[in-house]
Structures are given as C-alpha cells and as structure tokens.
Amino acid sequence: MVDLQRYSYEKSEKKALKKGHAHKCFRLGSQEYRLEIYRNKSKDEALIYLLTNRVKHKRVGKHYGKRWKIEYCFKHLKANGFNLEQVAFKDTHKISLLITFVIVVYIQAIQQGILQQKKEPVGQIRYANGNTYRAVSVGLYRVKEKLLSLVNFRSYLVELVPKNNLI
C-alpha cells in the first residue's frame, strides 16, 4: 500500500505508456483504492485512468471495457437514433417490452452493418479532431426496411434463428 502524500504517479504513467498498463494501490483515510492507468488506443488522450475501491481485483479495466459496450448501447438507445427518452410510457411492462424490442433492433443493426461493411465498405467522414466515422448508418438502414410491420420483423427474426434452436 502506498502513502498518497509521497506517491508520484508520473512513474506509473511512464510504465503505462511503455507497457500498456500500470497500477498502484493506496489508502486515503480509512479507504483503500486502486488506480489503474492504461495506454489509450484512441488518439484523443494518451492515457486512461481508472480509480476503484475494488483493490483485490486485478485488471479492472478489462471489466470496464465490457461495461463500456453496455453504456455505448444505452447512449444509442437514449439519443443517437432510437430516442427512448422521448417515450412517455408509464407502465413498466410496456417500457420493458419496448426496451427489449429496441435492443434486439440495435443488435441486428450492428450485425447488418458489419455484414454490409464486409461486402462493400462504406465511405468515411473525417472530422476536424481527426476522428473518422462511417458516412452512413448502414445497419439501421438495412434493419429499418424489416421494421415496417411487426409481422415482417417477426419473419426476419425467425429467418435468423437456426431451425433446431427454436423453442
């Protein structure tokens, strides 16, 4: 355990840049913490810092990566195209059904986008900050045509599931 007053995290930063990961455990008052530093694969920031009170868990960042995918899904469900925050349902069963339905559509949109990208790559748009994104949301566009009616969507889902996996 490291004394926080004497700890300089510059050495940990250098190690993270060189090896990809570094960590230190320290105590603040009566609480123990673990600081993990990762080299960032994106160009926005050189390092990613994660602070947790789960001192005994190794490589918290790997678990955080899984959680981040869930957070990214919710971002899309709330604002980027699905706009679930605008729905005014009060009944929790209706809300659960809608969220389930939209998550299935979201997963299908991602899958269709990946398949389409393998067949015929979509053009890229480069922004001023250097980030590049696909010019069109191909996956949602391809699933959208299946959503014109619930019957069409049900047929589409049945086609996706192998016959021996049906209930």
Side-chain angles (χ1 to χ4, degrees):
M1 200 61 57
V2 173
D3 179 14
L4 188 59
Q5 275 85 24
R6 295 185 316 184
Y7 173 62
S8 169
Y9 59 91
E10 291 170 356
K11 193 184 290 185
S12 295
E13 287 177 328
K14 287 178 184 176
K15 181 179 177 184
L17 286 169
K18 184 177 180 182
K19 297 190 175 191
H21 172 261
H23 76 276
K24 282 289 182 204
C25 294
F26 62 90
R27 182 180 298 280
L28 187 59
S30 62
Q31 181 66 49
E32 295 180 2
Y33 294 95
R34 178 183 182 91
L35 172 66
E36 292 196 3
I37 306 172
Y38 291 87
R39 183 175 52 226
N40 193 355
K41 294 176 185 172
S42 127
K43 295 175 184 156
D44 296 340
E45 299 289 331
L47 296 169
I48 297 172
Y49 301 84
L50 298 175
L51 182 65
T52 182
N53 61 355
R54 305 190 117 199
V55 179
K56 304 236 186 294
H57 290 80
K58 306 256 189 255
R59 295 287 184 129
V60 174
K62 287 187 176 189
H63 302 291
Y64 183 80
K66 293 175 187 175
R67 181 179 175 191
W68 184 249
K69 291 176 184 177
I70 295 167
E71 294 293 334
Y72 197 71
C73 173
F74 283 132
K75 174 187 175 192
H76 285 285
L77 297 180
K78 288 168 54 177
N80 291 6
F82 293 98
N83 300 330
L84 280 182
E85 287 187 336
Q86 294 179 355
V87 176
F89 289 158
K90 301 284 187 243
D91 183 349
T92 56
H93 293 5
K94 288 180 182 178
I95 294 169
S96 295
L97 181 62
L98 178 65
I99 289 174
T100 302
F101 180 76
V102 173
I103 287 174
V104 168
V105 171
Y106 174 76
I107 292 168
Q108 288 304 307
I110 291 172
Q111 183 183 41
Q112 289 299 313
I114 291 168
L115 292 173
Q116 182 63 31
Q117 185 72 12
K118 286 180 181 177
K119 289 180 190 173
E120 183 181 332
V122 175
Q124 301 279 315
I125 295 175
R126 181 176 299 278
Y127 288 89
N129 65 3
N131 291 343
T132 57
Y133 299 95
R134 289 187 185 95
V136 178
S137 178
V138 176
L140 188 55
Y141 175 76
R142 293 188 48 89
V143 172
K144 191 175 175 182
E145 61 193 37
K146 309 290 186 194
L147 292 174
L148 296 176
S149 79
L150 195 54
V151 173
N152 288 350
F153 188 66
R154 183 188 175 283
S155 299
Y156 170 69
L157 290 177
V158 168
E159 289 172 17
L160 294 174
V161 178
K163 301 259 185 271
N164 58 355
N165 286 351
L166 292 175
I167 296 175

